[in-house]
Amino acid sequence: MEEKVLRSCSKLGISFKCTSGATKKYVFGDTVDELIDNLVKLKDGKFIISFIDAFPNLKNEQLKKLDKGIIACQKPRQISSYAVKRKELSNTQDVEDALMSLCSKSSTYLPIVDFASTVVGANISKLEDFIIKSSDTTSIVAFAREVAGANIERLQEALLMCDISPLSLLDFLQIVPNADPYKFKESIICSDNLFTVIRFFSEFPNVVTAAEIDELQEKVIASQSAEYIYQFATKVRNANIDKLRCAINSLNRPDKDSDLYFYFEYFWAKYGKHKKLHFFSKKK
């Protein structure tokens, strides 16, 4: 056996008997088949993953043994890591079914995303159903983003049935290609978080109407927040700057050490051309 194999595997405490007699902590056998048998008995996915790194040209029967061995490890993350490295499995369906069962028991769903996005022959429709039934919003978003062939329409509908924040829905729209902002519009613009609503209006201007812009502007003005007013004025198309100027002009001047002071400064620097800049006059 080549010495480089011994070195590459010893990082995880794995070593193999060499013809020179040099050994490390573990000795699994003298032949590849014997090593595989002993690795499978060990039921530790770390060693199996290290083994396939060291032996890239295994026979089909040997790979089948390793596929069964990784299932026996009963650890979802190790199974998905192994599958990602292999890409083409000998027993794809068996590994897939085992992974779903273990993920369901442990409520750990991201390994399914890794498997679906990488493994040749993975049953995307079945894995997508599993992810949707999990109601795990992080995994639903990751599945939509990472898996080629994912049904974005179904995943969007699933998200709306989950307990998910408007901000997370907005993040979904930003990171998932072909996501439909109309699907999430109502859930987002009804949010009490004005920052989230302003971002939605800014990033999807063609989705909102003039009446909705006016309604949001009234909410922003009613908040009496210089920060909200500044964000709305600078980010939302067709904002009524004159009305916002009057609104911010009516607010009490914040202390110079306050964070809000700078929003007054920014607003008047950009929009205060024809108005009094009394916020920066020194107190007498």
Side-chain angles (χ1 to χ4, degrees):
M1 188 176 300
E2 294 180 4
E3 190 177 350
K4 65 179 181 180
V5 172
L6 174 65
R7 286 202 303 268
S8 67
C9 293
S10 62
K11 292 179 182 178
L12 291 176
I14 297 177
S15 60
F16 307 112
K17 182 179 286 187
C18 298
T19 53
S20 62
T23 59
K24 295 291 184 181
K25 188 174 181 180
Y26 300 102
V27 178
F28 292 109
D30 296 315
T31 66
V32 171
D33 286 325
E34 186 179 344
L35 290 171
I36 290 173
D37 289 340
N38 288 330
L39 283 170
V40 170
K41 291 176 185 177
L42 193 62
K43 295 184 179 180
D44 191 324
K46 297 191 302 294
F47 297 134
I48 293 177
I49 293 169
S50 176
F51 182 81
I52 62 172
D53 281 338
F55 293 87
N57 299 314
L58 295 171
K59 299 175 182 178
N60 190 51
E61 288 302 315
Q62 294 170 331
L63 292 171
K64 286 181 178 180
K65 285 184 180 181
L66 291 174
D67 286 356
K68 292 179 180 178
I70 200 68
I71 292 173
C73 296
Q74 298 286 294
K75 293 183 179 179
R77 294 191 184 281
Q78 290 184 356
I79 293 175
S80 66
S81 295
Y82 169 87
V84 167
K85 279 185 175 293
R86 284 282 316 278
K87 292 185 175 60
E88 295 188 43
L89 301 171
S90 303
N91 307 302
T92 302
Q93 184 173 338
D94 290 345
V95 178
E96 184 175 274
D97 290 343
L99 181 60
M100 286 193 294
S101 176
L102 292 168
C103 285
S104 181
K105 291 176 182 177
S106 61
S107 298
T108 305
Y109 303 105
L110 286 176
I112 294 290
V113 178
D114 294 336
F115 188 96
S117 63
T118 307
V119 176
V120 175
N123 190 327
I124 302 302
S125 179
K126 182 171 71 172
L127 295 171
E128 183 175 279
D129 287 341
F130 179 81
I131 287 292
I132 288 173
K133 290 176 182 177
S134 76
S135 297
D136 182 74
T137 56
T138 300
S139 298
I140 292 173
V141 172
F143 198 95
R145 183 183 67 241
E146 301 292 342
V147 179
N151 189 324
I152 303 302
E153 180 74 18
R154 290 188 67 219
L155 294 166
Q156 288 178 155
E157 294 291 346
L159 276 181
L160 289 172
M161 299 297 290
C162 298
D163 182 16
I164 186 170
S165 70
L167 179 59
S168 295
L169 292 177
L170 181 57
D171 290 339
F172 180 92
L173 291 173
Q174 292 175 316
I175 65 177
V176 176
N178 303 319
D180 183 3
Y182 286 98
K183 283 285 184 184
F184 299 148
K185 175 181 173 179
E186 184 177 353
S187 298
I188 294 174
I189 67 176
C190 291
S191 171
D192 293 330
N193 187 327
L194 290 180
F195 280 127
T196 298
V197 184
I198 290 170
R199 276 183 57 197
F200 180 80
F201 276 53
S202 171
E203 292 167 21
F204 302 97
N206 296 327
V207 175
V208 296
T209 65
E212 288 167 338
I213 293 174
D214 290 341
E215 183 179 353
L216 177 58
Q217 182 167 273
E218 291 303 318
K219 289 181 180 179
V220 167
I221 291 172
S223 73
Q224 296 189 325
S225 166
E227 185 173 6
Y228 285 149
I229 293 173
Y230 172 78
Q231 294 289 348
F232 186 88
T234 56
K235 293 185 177 181
V236 177
R237 185 191 298 176
N238 299 323
N240 189 327
I241 300 301
D242 287 337
K243 198 168 186 177
L244 294 170
R245 189 184 288 115
C246 291
I248 203 167
N249 196 40
S250 68
L251 300 179
N252 293 326
R253 178 185 181 186
D255 185 85
K256 191 171 183 179
D257 294 329
S258 167
D259 289 341
L260 291 178
Y261 179 87
F262 294 99
Y263 287 103
F264 278 94
E265 180 180 2
Y266 298 151
F267 184 91
W268 288 111
K270 189 173 182 66
Y271 302 113
K273 183 176 180 181
H274 303 298
K275 295 293 179 179
K276 295 183 295 182
L277 305 183
H278 67 275
F279 295 103
F280 307 104
S281 59
K282 294 182 179 179
K283 295 180 180 179
K284 294 183 180 179

